[in-house]
Amino acid sequence: MAQRVTRFAPSPTGPLHLGHAFAALVAAERGDRFLLRIEDIDQPRYRREFEDGIYTDLKWLGLNWEKPVFRQSTRMATYDASLARLCSMGLTYRCTCSRGDIKAALSAPQEGVPIIGPDGPIYPGTCRAKGHRQGAVRLDMVKAMARLGEVRFTETGTRAGELFYSASQMIETVGDIALARKDIGTSYHIAVVVDDAAQGVTEVTRGEDLFAATAIHVVLQRLLGLPTPAYHHHRLIRDDQGKRLAKRDDARALAKYRDEGATPADIRAMVGL
Ligand code: GLU
């Protein structure tokens, strides 16, 4: 059987917590080859100490990953090329709307109740026909789905099955998502799709909170001629109140548990492994 390649792709914008430990352990266990990718395109929020903490924590947990580690900040030219390709296919437009502009447009009485998509409220399309030369780059979902017809992927995690999204579902519940922010020049969506393909990932293992982004990723893979891996979205680790652990939740940082004498086996037990 073909080798299963999985990855753990943390963003070094805070300390790793129990949720990250669970994600990394699940990904490592599901792969014949386990890769690590540092998702540091959001440079203003990046801190070297958080990246160093990732290596320390993962080693402590007993994980081994292939070297060299992929760093997204070194791959901006590759993301630019993929974005340029989508632009040259006529599937994108520039958008100059601020968050406030979008909110105001969506609160107009004829708009009804705004639908919340994977990246927030569905963009109302204000800039779609304006022909701006500057601004964020958005995918024109109507044009994209006219090419693709539908998208599908295989999910083996919490919502296991062959999942299918029609063109109208993508247009109505995802809409014209941003592919490049004005300040960053790319987006999580572009970077993750390009890198999963470049690293030969065969199964994307990640938390259920990213489930809604997956249909977007499949759209981008199909438009860019990249393979669609299988997906495994795992349960999220929650605090005592049932709330998902967040980056800022330093109280549950792995380093803190370690300093207090916890062992990797304790961490596994805490996350139910
Ligand atoms: N970098 C993302 C995060 O830390 C994960 C991306 C992914 O697994 O696709 O939440």
Side-chain angles (χ1 to χ4, degrees):
M1 225 183 89
Q3 281 205 321
R4 191 139 66 171
V5 184
T6 59
R7 47 67 161 187
F8 176 54
S11 308
T13 53
L16 294 194
H17 55 56
L18 287 179
H20 293 110
F22 182 65
L25 289 164
V26 169
E29 261 153 42
R30 293 187 64 82
D32 302 303
R33 289 176 54 208
F34 172 57
L35 311 177
L36 178 62
R37 182 165 75 229
I38 301 295
E39 299 214 322
D40 58 349
I41 52 174
D42 191 356
Q43 280 291 320
R45 292 174 61 217
Y46 168 86
R47 294 238 302 266
R48 179 75 218 188
E49 71 199 73
F50 293 138
E51 182 177 344
D52 291 341
I54 290 170
Y55 304 130
T56 310
D57 290 345
L58 295 183
K59 257 188 231 149
W60 178 67
L61 286 172
L63 296 174
N64 291 302
W65 55 93
E66 291 182 16
K67 316 282 185 311
V69 168
F70 242 62
R71 298 172 64 92
Q72 290 194 322
S73 56
T74 64
R75 295 184 38 81
M76 289 302 194
T78 311
Y79 308 143
D80 284 352
S82 296
L83 186 67
R85 188 157 157 207
L86 295 171
C87 295
S88 70
M89 289 162 83
L91 300 176
T92 59
Y93 61 88
R94 295 275 180 178
C95 169
T96 56
C97 292
S98 65
R99 266 176 222 267
D101 295 336
I102 296 174
K103 220 168 135 195
L106 287 172
S107 65
Q110 72 277 12
E111 287 290 336
V113 180
I115 299 171
I116 306 300
D119 290 348
I122 306 294
Y123 181 64
T126 321
C127 290
R128 198 179 288 137
K130 295 237 171 101
H132 293 307
R133 304 181 77 95
Q134 307 256 319
V137 179
R138 288 188 179 274
L139 180 68
D140 186 323
M141 193 59 86
V142 170
K143 289 188 183 163
M145 293 312 292
R147 272 189 182 238
L148 302 178
E150 61 182 38
V151 288
R152 319 173 161 262
F153 63 91
T154 304
E155 163 69 22
T156 61
T158 48
R159 301 180 214 193
E162 294 298 321
L163 304 183
F164 165 88
Y165 296 80
S166 66
S168 56
Q169 237 174 324
M170 291 305 295
I171 294 161
E172 283 155 28
T173 65
V174 179
D176 295 353
I177 44 118
L179 296 179
R181 279 174 28 185
K182 255 193 320 263
D183 54 340
I184 292 188
T186 185
S187 61
Y188 160 65
H189 300 307
I190 291 275
V192 80
V193 158
V194 168
D195 285 352
D196 281 332
Q199 290 190 285
V201 171
T202 63
E203 187 191 86
V204 171
T205 306
R206 62 186 176 198
E208 230 195 329
D209 52 326
L210 288 169
F211 184 85
T214 301
I216 299 175
H217 297 173
V218 179
V219 167
L220 295 178
Q221 286 152 1
R222 293 271 313 281
L223 294 174
L224 291 168
L226 303 173
T228 293
Y231 284 86
H232 184 91
H233 292 89
H234 57 70
R235 66 183 163 86
L236 298 177
I237 303 298
R238 299 180 184 277
D239 67 12
D240 305 338
Q241 278 84 50
K243 260 183 49 206
R244 178 162 76 83
L245 297 187
K247 286 260 165 57
R248 288 168 295 282
D249 207 351
D250 291 7
R252 286 178 177 72
L254 292 177
K256 200 144 179 188
Y257 285 107
R258 182 167 62 239
D259 291 347
E260 288 166 5
T263 65
D266 295 331
I267 301 293
R268 281 179 173 269
M270 275 187 255
V271 297
L273 280 174

